[in-house]
Amino acid sequence: MWHPNQHSEPLRGSASRGPKSLGRLGFEALEIRAMLSADALTSDLVEFSKAAAGSVGGGYTPAEIRTAYGFNNVSFGSTAANGAGQTIAIIDAYNDPNIASDLATFDAQFGIAAPASLKVVNQSGGSNLPGTDSSGGWEVETALDVEWAHAIAPAANILLVEANNDSDSNLFGAVNYAREQAGVSVISMSWGSDDNAVYASSDQSLAAQYLVTPAGHQGITFVAAAGDTGVAEFPSTSPNVLAVGGTDLYLNSSGSISSETYWTPQTIDGVAYSGGGGVSKEFSGRVVPDVSYDAGVSYDVYDSFSGGGGWITVGGTSAGSPQWAGLVAVADQGRVLAGQTTLNGATQTISALHSASSSDFNTITGGTTDTTGLGSPKANLLIPYLASYGSSTTTPTPTPTAPAAPASASAAAGSSSSVTVTWSTSTGATGYDLYEVENGKDVLISTYAAGTTSAVVNGLSASTSYTFQVAAYNSGGTSGAVSAQVTTPAAAVTVTAPQSFKVSATSSTTATLSWQAVSGATGYQVYQWNGSVGVLIGNLPAGSSSLNVSGLAAGSTQYFYVSAYNATSSASTAWVSVVMPAAATTSTLTAPVLTATATSNTTGRLSWTASPGATGYDIYYMKGGQTASLGSVGGGTTAVSISGMAPGTTYEFLVLAYNSTSQASSKWTM
């Protein structure tokens, strides 16, 4: 059975398309292919992310893709190149009940006119449509296919044929119905299965029976996604089918292509994803893909059916198949205008593309042609080529006219002596002239090729206002100019390192850092060595000249330095060390053991054991229930004589040992 693959990715930035980092995947379980063959099949849809309620997804828009690939620079004389008169058939499984309203929402968002017609039928052409996909995956696929085929060929008719389910018999039954319908000139199939020699016989039979233009019918081009798992897929491997591989497309701020690389493999949940391609095992000598298209950077799609509904971003080779179908439909429009028949994919389209000049395609960097084929289209070159293929006459083109001036220009100072001038692209321009206005006159600085949208002007004066002008040109003439003004900043001030940097310990755990303030500095950063790297411990404003640092280890050696800085420069002191004092020590005294001895009826002797560390002893006696002091002796004294006692009277004595941090007393002794 044929089933959609989906995963999520962060959205692109607003100004340019940088490399993407994929998020977690939410893949649908693969089902087993039934009826006509028996290998596992997947569709080639990649769902990147859902937008917040009420907002657009943030992927590429139709205008961005049409500009990047050159669709907006194509016409047939005075006739718009929009696929008028052609019918694109799209084959998907299950029913998307919201496709008509979703397409209308998509068109309203991006200012696209409704298609000439949108017709939705079941695989036999009836109005009794199949049930929906419980996973919602095929509804996302349908929204992608219909909306983006229409974005590329907005005036073409859309015939959506919905198979009963994703089995071979039903999907190819839908293909068979579509190819028999009058007016159909392109059929898009964004699904496939791994090309496997085991199924060569059955897939060759499918290709021979269903992937050819019926006798008596106008030419039909069959287009299929080459796959998202790095290997070639059927039906794209059929020599009757135009196979579309995948790329990563990056645009610059003006909307032109910054670079386009092969779809870099991305491993998620243990599965590697990238554009499919390689030598077919089922069709001898067939190598796919034929061509490629952006797959790894997302597109905006509106799908109100699946997962809560709304704007999502979607990619994969599924995105390339309907857009190449749109390109072929536009070329077929040109052929009909020139009195020719529509292209037959098996005998004309594929051979025509492989015979085209390499300059008609964007060069893809990285990977091999086994993943990107001939490259992505330069539609403004390929469409006229295909429209006139096989004819001695060429498609009429308008007489060249001068392009319009760039819509906008801006200038930004990069330094006190340099400015970057940036301008928007001008449709039809083959280059741009950049001028500086000096004393009321335009002085040409340089000329730039088409695709260039910025230039750096050096050698300017500080604190000076400048005016620049940009004009577009082609073989038809030069446009008017658009202006940009800028004032260069004052020359940069280079700061010097702080002087007289000192570190002083103010206790065993705190230190004071001091230095002289530096002229031109806008701040100071203080760093402390942590044993392996310098760690920023303070960022102080201009004028600061000291910092107190606490929480240091007593007895340790600490290292610090200070860096003065401003917007353009910085300068640092050398490392300065300080040895932190040891912490104050405290000792616990032992209590003296006191002995009292009467030496007469009025005298006595007190002696006690020494208390190490004692600096003195206080001697007390008990008198009338009150404690009274007899005095103090030094730390080296351990005995005294007592006189003046009353005969026949009992006395109690106590000795207290002490120093600066502690004390201890003996017991009362008689």
Side-chain angles (χ1 to χ4, degrees):
M1 306 182 80
W2 314 76
H3 226 18
N5 296 333
Q6 307 175 21
H7 65 75
S8 300
E9 179 187 70
L11 301 182
R12 61 180 174 87
S14 60
S16 64
R17 308 308 169 114
K20 303 303 175 183
S21 176
L22 292 179
R24 298 286 296 173
L25 280 171
F27 281 97
E28 301 295 333
L30 301 182
E31 297 185 29
I32 300 302
R33 189 174 175 188
M35 299 297 291
L36 299 177
S37 57
D39 59 331
L41 294 147
T42 64
S43 90
D44 300 308
L45 168 74
V46 181
E47 182 179 334
F48 288 92
S49 64
K50 296 185 183 299
S55 64
V56 182
Y60 282 139
T61 67
E64 288 174 317
I65 291 296
R66 290 181 62 83
T67 297
Y69 283 140
F71 288 98
N72 59 336
N73 286 331
V74 185
S75 65
F76 302 117
S78 60
T79 301
N82 53 18
Q86 302 304 303
T87 298
I88 303 172
I90 294 172
I91 312 301
D92 283 314
Y94 299 101
N95 173 236
D96 182 351
N98 301 344
I99 188 57
S101 60
D102 285 355
L103 178 59
T105 300
F106 180 87
D107 287 346
Q109 175 64 38
F110 298 119
I112 304 173
S117 70
L118 170 63
K119 183 177 182 181
V120 184
V121 298
N122 64 27
Q123 66 189 53
S124 302
S127 59
N128 185 19
L129 301 177
T132 59
D133 178 10
S134 60
S135 73
W138 278 100
E139 283 74 16
V140 176
E141 178 68 70
T142 299
L144 168 64
D145 294 347
V146 170
E147 290 168 9
W148 278 89
H150 176 54
I152 299 303
N157 302 298
I158 302 293
L159 172 63
L160 172 61
V161 186
E162 297 181 330
N164 292 341
N165 56 38
D166 46 14
S167 68
D168 291 21
S169 57
N170 289 313
L171 281 168
F172 278 98
V175 170
N176 191 45
Y177 170 79
R179 75 190 188 107
E180 296 285 355
Q181 303 314 299
V184 170
S185 56
V186 194
I187 295 177
S188 176
M189 303 169 289
S190 289
W191 33 265
S193 68
D194 289 354
D195 178 271
N196 191 321
V198 173
Y199 309 110
S201 177
S202 59
D203 287 347
Q204 290 170 11
S205 176
L206 288 171
Q209 183 175 0
Y210 298 111
L211 302 178
V212 293
T213 301
H217 196 285
Q218 69 175 1
I220 298 176
T221 299
F222 295 81
V223 186
D228 294 347
T229 58
V231 296
E233 286 188 354
F234 175 77
S236 74
T237 52
S238 167
N240 300 338
V241 174
L242 176 62
V244 182
T247 68
D248 288 330
L249 174 69
Y250 307 122
L251 307 183
N252 57 33
S253 59
S254 67
S256 59
I257 296 177
S258 170
S259 67
E260 190 168 12
T261 68
Y262 83 114
W263 185 5
T264 306
Q266 300 158 90
T267 300
I268 302 172
D269 289 340
V271 181
Y273 292 90
S274 63
V279 179
S280 173
K281 300 179 181 62
E282 298 181 346
F283 299 89
S284 177
R286 172 69 165 148
V287 180
V288 296
D290 298 295
V291 293
S292 56
Y293 211 85
D294 175 54
V297 186
S298 58
Y299 300 84
D300 284 335
V301 170
Y302 190 78
D303 168 40
S304 62
F305 178 85
S306 308
W311 287 104
I312 56 177
T313 56
V314 177
T317 54
S318 273
S321 178
Q323 293 185 72
W324 265 98
L327 183 152
V328 174
V330 174
D332 282 338
Q333 174 197 6
R335 293 179 66 82
V336 171
L337 289 172
Q340 298 188 83
T341 61
T342 57
L343 290 165
N344 185 309
T347 62
Q348 292 179 298
T349 310
I350 298 174
S351 60
L353 290 170
H354 283 274
S355 300
S357 169
S358 60
S359 63
D360 291 351
F361 300 89
N362 295 300
T363 300
I364 312 302
T365 58
T368 68
T369 55
D370 286 355
T371 59
T372 59
L374 298 168
S376 64
K378 293 182 180 178
N380 54 311
L381 301 178
L382 266 183
I383 288 175
Y385 166 75
L386 291 174
S388 62
Y389 181 74
S391 170
S392 59
T393 61
T394 58
T395 303
T397 56
T399 300
T401 58
S408 62
S410 62
S415 70
S416 61
S417 62
S418 68
V419 164
T420 299
V421 182
T422 303
W423 56 90
S424 59
T425 56
S426 179
T427 301
T430 57
Y432 300 92
D433 291 329
L434 174 62
Y435 301 87
E436 180 186 343
V437 180
E438 299 180 7
N439 299 320
K441 295 182 179 180
D442 295 342
V443 178
L444 180 65
I445 295 175
S446 188
T447 297
Y448 301 92
T452 303
T453 57
S454 66
V456 177
V457 182
N458 295 307
L460 304 178
S461 300
S463 303
T464 304
S465 295
Y466 290 91
T467 298
F468 300 94
Q469 293 196 352
V470 182
Y473 67 84
N474 61 17
S475 60
T478 301
S479 73
V482 60
S483 298
Q485 291 78 38
V486 66
T487 299
T488 54
V493 176
T494 302
V495 298
T496 59
Q499 300 298 306
S500 302
F501 178 46
K502 298 179 181 178
V503 184
S504 303
T506 54
S507 74
S508 62
T509 59
T510 60
T512 297
L513 286 62
S514 62
W515 59 90
Q516 291 181 353
V518 175
S519 175
T522 57
Y524 300 88
Q525 292 180 325
V526 181
Y527 290 84
Q528 177 184 7
W529 184 255
N530 74 349
S532 58
V533 294
V535 178
L536 179 66
I537 61 171
N539 199 339
L540 309 178
S544 300
S545 59
S546 66
L547 176 67
N548 292 323
V549 183
S550 60
L552 305 176
S556 65
T557 300
Q558 301 289 332
Y559 297 85
F560 302 90
Y561 79 85
V562 178
S563 177
Y565 68 89
N566 60 21
T568 60
S569 64
S570 64
S572 304
T573 68
W575 287 98
V576 172
S577 65
V578 63
V579 178
M580 304 304 297
T585 59
T586 60
S587 61
T588 302
L589 297 175
T590 58
V593 178
L594 176 62
T595 302
T597 306
T599 56
S600 74
N601 62 350
T602 60
T603 62
R605 178 180 175 80
L606 301 179
S607 62
W608 58 88
T609 58
S611 294
T615 58
Y617 299 93
D618 290 331
I619 304 170
Y620 299 90
Y621 74 98
M622 188 73 70
K623 179 181 179 181
Q626 300 294 321
T627 301
S629 173
L630 282 174
S632 300
V633 295
T637 302
T638 57
V640 295
S641 295
I642 307 297
S643 62
M645 294 186 290
T649 304
T650 300
Y651 290 87
E652 292 183 82
F653 298 91
L654 178 143
V655 175
L656 175 69
Y658 66 85
N659 61 21
S660 61
T661 59
S662 64
Q663 59 186 15
S665 65
S666 70
K667 296 181 180 180
W668 287 99
T669 304
M670 292 184 292

